Structures are given as structure tokens and as C-alpha cells.
Amino acid sequence: MGMEQVWLLPAIPAGIFVVIALFSRILPRGGDWLAILGLITVTVLGVLVLIDFQGSFTGGHFDAHGNNVFAFDWIRVADDFFAIEFSTFVDAIAVTMIVVVSIVALMVMVYSVGYMHGEARYGWYFALLSFFTAAMLTLVVSGNMILLYLAWEGVGLASYLLIGFYWERRTAAEAAKKAFITTRIGDVGLLIGIILLWRATGSFDIQTIIEAARAGAIGETYLTVSMILLFAGAAGKSAQFPLHVWLPDAMEGPTPVSALIHAATMVVAGVYLVARFSPVYAEVLIARDVVLYIGLLTALMAATMGLVESDIKRVLAYSTVSQLGFMFVALGVGSVTAAMFHLFTHAFFKSLLFLGSGSVIHATEQQTVEQLGGLRRKLPLTATTFTIGSLALAGVPIFAGFFSKDEILLETLKGAPLAAYVALAFTAALTALYTTRLVVLTFFGEPRNRHAHEHAHEAPTSMAGPLVLLAALATVAGFVALDGVGKALGFAGGFGELVFLEEGHHFKLDPAVAFGATAASLVAIALGWAYWSGAAERAARARRWAPELHALLVNRYYLDNLYQAAIDRVVLGLARVVAWFDKRIINETGVDGGAQTIGYFGLRLKFLQTGRIPNYALAMAVGLAAIALLAFGTQ
């Protein structure tokens, strides 16, 4: 198994999806064992791809001599007039995504055995997880834009079905529709961008498009517009402003789904897309600046909203939106290394946090932090692993998030205005603050709901195992940035010497940046403990001191209200005009009106046919007289 056979990775879960979807009612345990076995196989094959990838470095650069490409004609019209290939392409970015998707999907499936036990649609749930994994793996190994777009839409469909898994609940159904429609807005931009790039290059092949852009074969304005449209698709899928509103509501789906789709895999598809086209964004700095400032704004806004959210899963959802903003900031300053490194570490600690929140919900049947508290004694394993994930998210040394956030902050300091760096550093401190709030309100202090606390129980083995493994990865994953660790694992060096745009680099902590970020995180943790420990009196006073600000954050900057007003007053108003035009002009006048006119004249003309010869003779005489008058009158 090598890089040329990478198409097997999505093919396996795709086949399993078909089997479980058709035969889950007769398969033992609904086919969950088959889905898990398939993901174990995918993970093992992914390791073989990784080993093949390791041997393709020459002089510090990736050179697979074409062994990383697999392609055959899929559609071809009139020789080369129009051609689409089924093609796969593997490089450092794709390998990183394969590792993330396969490991996280496997952990989520194992966790789901305990969490989803007893569900009526248990088999269908595992079928959908397999379908999503197949679509996501297809997306990351695609070598051309058409296959990527089909997988992109497949991921969106899987997300819609999983968010709305509990379709009998209106909130879940509405959340699924909101996610589907919002992401489709960005997908329209992506599709237009793909068409523009095909018109400019005559090819859908991603590497051909990149080479043409770098060679100057595409006009600067044309290329800038195309790249901004591609970013629109990325912004929709990765929940960036102003298309971020769907992600918090997507928490209506089962908690393991949130860990898989909305923390570690689907939502980073936009980051992957921009990273894949990073050589092109390097040629159009206007588009890259759009990525930078949208990411920065999203990171800051989401962090502030996470400070006031009460639902444990929604806090993590806002955290995800914010961390995705960090990744786009890194891409906006041209650092693919920092973006993909944070994507890598974030996948482990954020999926750990979501699964940990699922353990809390499973144990207490509560997910509002005001109804929790004091759970560290009842759920010691969950509390410990959740705290580890929180420390990684807060960027505390030695945990994974510390290394990747430090890299993003350093690249921002070097490649963006000082104000952008300050805003991002402040956002990092806010991250530590709302994370501390979440941990304190959930696991410390006195129980706020005695009934829930008394009936709380630790997670079963099937749920605890993934928590422990992900906690270990959230602790040590950041060390792959170090050259010594990378070489010990068989790579050419650390993460920075594997994933880069122009030249690889050795990871090196900047003392000033690292110390400043760490100090800010520790101060924020201390503030969070002081404000929310005990009865959280300081936090209550802060809310009373600035009620308008608190209302602004609780209402999500009123963006959802703005969208609803736009739909009610503009979209529905325009729809009424279109409906009136369609009914009155097109239907009643154009279609029915023509038929009714013919019927009317037919009804009147039938009276001319009386069957009496004198009437016909009179008509003939009148006609001859008229013709005679006309003939002599024109003389």
C-alpha cells in the first residue's frame, strides 16, 4: 500500500456505508462492528501511506517522482475539449489530514458504541459516520476540483443528516436546515471560483491550476476574484464571519457527531482548501489579506461569545469557530506550516473536549453549566481528561496547543501589522479565560443540581478509552514540531520540515512570544478561577456592571436577528413579488390567458355555423361586396 493506492482509504468506508444502510436491521449490533473494523483498516492503511510518504524526501524537499498521483479519465468530450479525471494527489498537507480524519473518526466510532447504545436508529447512525468519513477522505486526497467539489457536497450532506439525526425534535431539524443553507451560500462561491479557474486554465487539475497561476498565465484581477470566491466556500464550511452562525446551532446533533464533524474534520475542510491553494494565495496578496482579517475578526468575536454561553457544547462550538480563525490568520500571513500544525493539534484536544462534554451529558442528562458543578469527584476520569484538553486549548506548556498557538502568534508578529498580533494575542488570553470558566462551572464548586449530581456516573469503558487516548495525544502531539521527535518517528525532521510553502524550517520557540503568551494564559486562568469559583459573585457583578455588553454577547452580536430580519423583510418580500408575477403574469395571463382567449373566440365563432343556406349566401354576398369595395377603393 503506497501513495498511489490512497483511493482505497475513502473506498472502504463508502462500501461499508452501503452495506450498513441496506442491511443494518439484519446485521448484529446494527453493523457498528463493521464500521469500526473498516476505520481500523483505514487507519492501518493510512499508516502505510505515511511510511511511503516518509521515503519521498530528497534534500529536505518532497519528491515522490509521480508515485503520489493516481488518475484515469472519468469524462472526456471531443478529445481535449472537456475532460474530467478521477485523480488523487498526496503530499504533506494530504497526509496530515489523513492522520487527523482516520484517528478522530475511529475514536468517535468507538466512543459512540457506549454513547448511542439503545438508540432506535443505531445502525443508520454508524452508516452515516461511514459515509461522512468516506466523503471527507475523498475531499483530502482529491487531485482535481470536480472530485473535490463532489466530496465537499457529500460532506455537507452527511453533516445535514447527522445534525438532524434527531429529526423528530424541531430544534434539530431547524439546525440541520440552517447549517445546510448557510454552507450552501459559501459553496455557490466555491463553484463559481472553480468554473473561473477552469475557464482560465482549461483544466480542473489542482496542480495544473497552481502552476498556471504561479507562471502568470492568469490575470491578476481574475485570479484575485477566483481566490476570494474559493475562500467564500472555505468560510462557509469552516464557519467564518459572516457565515459562522450555523455552527453553534449544529450542536443539536449527537455529541460524538460534534466531536467528529464540528471540531476536528468537516469544519477544517475550508482550512485545507486554502492551504492547498496557498501557492496561489501567495501570488494575490489582496485575497490573502481577506483571509487574514476575516480569520482575525472571527477568532475575536467567537472568543467573546464563548465567555457568556451557558450550554457546554455551544461554548466548545464558539471555541472551534475561534480556533478556525487562528488557522486562517496563519494562512493569511502565508504560513501553511502554522495553520496545518494547529489543525493537527486542535483535532485531538477539541475532539477530546467534545467527547468529554458528551460524557458529562451522558452522566447527568444536563448540558447547561448552571445546572452542573462539583463533578470532579463523581467523574474523575472525565474531569481529568477534560482538564487536559482545556489546558491544551488554553495554550499552557507542555500541552499540544501551546506549540501550535505559539507558532501562529510568531508568524503573525512577523507577517502582519502589530495591531493584528495584539488582537490575536488578546484572543488567545480570552480563550484561556472562557475555558477556565467552563472547567470551573462544570467540575468544581458545589453541585447546583443535586438530582443530576447524585445520579452522575463515570463513562463506560467504550467511552473512557477514546478519552484517555485523545488526552495522551492532546498532551504530546505538539512535540512533533521538534526535529528530534520528528526524526525519532522516521520523518526528515519536525513538522516545519514536512509541511511548508517554500522552504522548511526548524521549530524554535521565540522566548518573548512564548513567555508573553504563556503569562497571558496563566493570568487569564487565574482571573477565570477568581471570577467563577464558588458562587461566581464577581462574574455576576461584572454582568450587572455592563448589562448592555452582556446582552450584546448573549445575543451573538444580533447577527442572527439581522439575518432573520433580512429573510422576513427582503427575501420573503421579494418572494411575494415573484409569486405575484408568476401567478398573475406568467400563469394567469401568459398560460391560462392564451388558452382562455382562444376558448372565448371559439365560443363566439361557433355561432357563425348555423347550418342555414340563406345565412351562408348572405355572408358570401357581404364578403364579395367588401372585396369589391376594397379593390375599387385602391384604384
Side-chain angles (χ1 to χ4, degrees), residues 138-436:
T138 302
L139 191 156
V140 302
V141 302
S142 296
N144 69 82
M145 294 300 289
I146 293 297
L147 184 59
L148 183 147
Y149 186 76
L150 292 175
W152 188 276
E153 294 301 318
V155 166
L157 174 60
S159 174
Y160 167 77
L161 294 173
L162 285 166
I163 294 170
F165 181 77
Y166 299 117
W167 49 265
E168 60 274 10
R169 293 201 319 236
R170 181 174 178 81
T171 52
E174 292 296 328
K177 289 191 291 184
K178 184 176 183 179
F180 193 79
I181 294 171
T182 305
T183 53
R184 291 294 78 72
I185 294 172
D187 292 354
V188 170
L190 173 61
L191 181 59
I192 296 172
I194 292 172
I195 294 171
L196 291 178
L197 291 172
W198 171 73
R199 286 191 61 198
T201 63
S203 174
F204 291 110
D205 182 74
I206 294 174
Q207 299 307 310
T208 300
I209 293 171
I210 292 174
E211 291 169 7
R214 301 190 75 175
I218 307 176
E220 183 177 353
T221 302
Y222 192 97
L223 189 60
T224 299
V225 172
S226 301
M227 288 299 102
I228 291 176
L229 288 170
L230 255 62
F231 176 64
K237 198 71 78 182
S238 293
Q240 296 297 285
F241 177 86
L243 301 178
H244 65 283
V245 294
W246 68 269
L247 186 57
D249 291 340
M251 299 302 106
E252 290 291 338
T255 299
V257 170
S258 301
L260 176 64
I261 297 183
H262 308 122
T265 51
M266 188 197 89
V267 292
V268 298
V271 177
Y272 165 80
L273 179 65
V274 176
R276 171 62 67 209
F277 280 90
S278 55
V280 183
Y281 280 96
E283 301 295 323
V284 284
L285 297 183
I286 293 176
R288 205 170 78 174
D289 284 344
V290 171
V291 175
L292 167 63
Y293 291 109
I294 290 294
L296 183 62
L297 177 61
T298 304
L300 183 56
M301 286 183 63
T304 58
M305 288 186 282
L307 276 173
V308 299
E309 180 58 57
S310 296
D311 187 293
I312 186 172
K313 288 174 63 177
R314 285 177 181 262
V315 175
L316 296 176
Y318 284 122
S319 172
T320 299
V321 174
S322 183
Q323 297 307 302
L324 291 168
F326 273 81
M327 298 175 206
F328 279 111
V329 168
L331 292 170
V333 297
S335 180
V336 178
T337 303
M340 293 304 297
F341 187 31
H342 196 52
L343 184 154
F344 177 76
T345 61
H346 176 265
F348 300 129
F349 63 73
K350 187 52 66 66
S351 56
L352 168 62
L353 289 170
F354 267 108
L355 294 184
S357 71
S359 182
V360 171
I361 297 168
H362 185 267
T364 64
E365 297 183 357
Q366 299 289 335
Q367 61 188 77
T368 304
V369 291
E370 284 81 4
Q371 296 295 318
L372 301 173
L375 291 175
R376 72 186 186 280
R377 297 185 185 90
K378 302 284 286 188
L379 310 174
L381 177 65
T382 300
T384 301
T385 55
F386 195 94
T387 302
I388 290 173
S390 299
L391 291 172
L393 174 59
V396 174
I398 56 168
F399 299 96
F402 164 74
F403 294 92
S404 54
K405 276 192 179 180
D406 182 82
E407 187 79 356
I408 292 177
L409 288 171
L410 180 59
E411 293 298 328
T412 305
L413 182 62
K414 294 191 296 186
L418 182 60
Y421 169 78
V422 171
L424 197 65
F426 177 68
T427 304
L430 285 180
T431 302
L433 184 60
Y434 68 69
T435 304
T436 304

Side-chain angles (χ1 to χ4, degrees), residues 453-578:
H453 184 268
E454 290 171 1
H455 290 82
H457 53 85
E458 188 56 273
T461 303
S462 60
M463 295 169 63
L467 291 177
V468 172
L469 181 56
L470 288 170
L473 290 172
T475 303
V476 304
F479 288 100
V480 299
L482 305 179
D483 290 340
V485 175
K487 291 177 180 178
L489 293 173
F491 298 103
F495 196 92
E497 295 184 78
L498 299 176
V499 184
F500 53 85
L501 182 56
E502 296 293 342
E503 294 291 335
H505 68 277
H506 303 286
F507 180 82
K508 184 178 180 181
L509 285 174
D510 184 284
V513 173
F515 177 80
T518 302
S521 294
L522 294 177
V523 169
I525 290 172
L527 284 174
W529 183 270
Y531 266 71
W532 283 284
S533 61
E537 295 176 358
R538 291 186 177 89
R541 286 200 298 269
R543 286 196 298 269
R544 290 193 297 268
W545 176 70
E548 296 84 3
L549 177 60
H550 183 263
L552 178 68
L553 299 180
V554 167
N555 288 285
R556 312 177 189 183
Y557 292 92
Y558 297 100
L559 283 174
D560 287 275
N561 303 73
L562 179 62
Y563 286 143
Q564 192 62 55
I567 291 171
D568 293 341
R569 300 179 183 180
V570 179
V571 176
L572 294 182
L574 182 61
R576 292 187 187 96
V577 173
V578 172

